[in-house]
Amino acid sequence: MATIKDVAALAGISYTTVSHVVNKTRPVSEEVRVKVEAAIKTLDYVPSAVARSLKAKTTATIGLLVPNSLNPYFAELARGIEDYCERNGYCVILCNSDDNPDKQRSYLRVLLEKRIDGLIVASAGGDAGLAQGLAGVRTPMVIVDRGLEGVDADLVRIDHEYGAWLATRHLLELGHRDIATIGGPANTSVAQMRLAGYCRALQEAGVTVPRERMLESDFTSTGGYDAAAILLAKNPPSAIFAGNDMIGIGVLRAAAERNIRVPTELSVIGFDDIQISRYVYPALTTVGQSILQLGEMAAEVLLRRIATPAMATDQRIVTPSIVLRESTAPLAGVFSEYR
């Protein structure tokens, strides 16, 4: 690999002058600039990012740590972050931990060793080990969507409890009373907040649902499918609130295999509004806000934090709304008095 001294030798000038041309730190004559650029092209020289970052005390690089890159939610979130950073001169290093605490710690160490300018963390929200690892980090940081207890950092997230309340209220307004839910892991803050919103909506409507109608799963289609198989085995509910869209897609599959028609026999509503939810059949009614915009908002907050380290901690709570599609319908033969 060519070095700056190789470029200087080929151009017949000092490597200090080459450095000024590459880094634009001092004006040089047009003749010298042309010689340097020709030598760079001939040698296919690539400036050392490490050396430049040490001098400039910035790498123009953002670290992004996600728990599961196979989940479309995190893929869309990462895209929004990357788009905003690219427009503002930053590149993003994506690290996927697979919900593995050891991988999380390893990736966090690697990112910090690379002298990133800032860090965006999307967590399941129940990882005490990750929270402990982040507590002493001085790099500018934003937590996305799922807060980490004990970590003092900027936060950007959806209002999970309100969204779940909205989803359950939508089913109540359609006349449903036997409303089951399949949530995420009970040790995660997201699952806890969404379950709280579901329970609050039922309580306000004076509706009691048996505990066996409230199942715990993980935030995957497989988890939704397996849990729905239990709910639909006998005496199925008339509606299911899925803790996220991936769970909802699993529910749709389980219903189809049992010839349970959605939405005429079973209404299903999800949460997040991932892109694929509009293309499954029937298209999934859901609760959410643009995930791309959420990612862009997180990146915007981080870049502002990098530029102004002393500013007060910023919390952005995004209000979700119902995205009405094809998987929910009024309960057959029942007029809802709950409005």
Side-chain angles (χ1 to χ4, degrees), residues 47-327:
S48 168
V50 174
R52 295 173 71 178
S53 66
L54 287 172
K55 188 171 184 178
K57 296 184 179 180
T58 179
T59 61
T61 303
I62 299 301
L64 171 58
L65 186 61
V66 301
N68 184 0
S69 61
L70 289 178
N71 186 327
Y73 175 87
F74 293 112
E76 293 178 38
L77 183 74
R79 179 58 185 267
I81 291 168
E82 183 182 20
D83 285 350
Y84 188 89
C85 287
E86 191 274 334
R87 292 197 304 269
N88 288 275
Y90 284 80
C91 65
V92 178
I93 299 175
L94 173 63
C95 294
N96 167 48
S97 70
D98 285 324
D99 287 311
N100 182 318
D102 291 335
K103 286 184 71 174
Q104 281 183 336
R105 285 191 292 270
S106 176
Y107 277 137
L108 179 59
R109 184 176 63 254
V110 168
L111 288 172
L112 295 177
E113 286 174 353
K114 289 185 177 296
R115 300 171 62 90
I116 53 174
D117 293 340
L119 177 65
I120 298 178
V121 179
S123 162
D127 188 343
L130 179 61
Q132 185 178 7
L134 293 172
V137 172
R138 295 184 179 180
T139 300
M141 178 170 47
V142 173
I143 308 298
V144 182
D145 204 37
R146 308 176 180 195
L148 286 168
E149 188 174 352
V151 179
D152 183 22
D154 298 320
L155 174 68
V156 175
R157 71 169 177 86
I158 293 285
D159 190 336
H160 300 288
E161 182 176 344
Y162 174 74
W165 176 87
L166 204 60
T168 309
R169 180 184 170 90
H170 170 67
L171 296 173
L172 288 164
E173 289 180 340
L174 292 174
H176 297 280
R177 293 297 180 269
D178 189 0
I179 303 170
T181 185
I182 303 173
N187 68 328
T188 65
S189 60
V190 170
Q192 292 164 7
M193 287 186 282
R194 293 182 183 181
L195 179 61
Y198 160 84
C199 291
R200 180 163 67 91
L202 293 177
Q203 184 178 24
E204 289 175 356
V207 174
T208 301
V209 173
R211 189 66 186 86
E212 55 266 25
R213 290 301 204 203
M214 306 177 196
L215 299 188
E216 178 185 348
S217 178
D218 55 24
F219 287 118
T220 66
S221 295
T222 301
Y225 174 88
D226 291 341
I230 297 171
L231 289 172
L232 302 178
K234 59 179 180 179
N235 188 28
S238 69
I240 295 176
F241 163 50
N244 74 350
D245 289 345
M246 296 300 290
I247 292 175
I249 290 169
V251 172
L252 294 180
R253 176 70 185 186
E257 288 183 355
R258 290 159 179 77
N259 296 314
I260 296 174
R261 294 174 297 169
V262 176
T264 54
E265 296 176 296
L266 175 70
S267 284
V268 182
I269 187 169
F271 200 120
D272 284 337
D273 191 23
I274 61 175
Q275 196 171 58
I276 196 174
S277 65
R278 68 201 69 174
Y279 297 113
V280 296
Y281 184 81
L284 186 65
T285 295
T286 186
V287 173
Q289 187 71 20
S290 169
I291 302 170
L292 286 173
Q293 290 181 10
L294 192 71
E296 292 202 357
M297 185 183 298
E300 176 196 351
V301 170
L302 181 61
L303 297 194
R304 184 176 300 157
R305 168 65 59 192
I306 292 170
T308 316
M311 74 177 187
T313 303
D314 192 1
Q315 286 204 11
R316 306 278 186 92
I317 311 299
V318 179
T319 302
S321 58
I322 293 283
V323 183
L324 189 61
R325 296 197 180 105
E326 302 167 352
S327 65

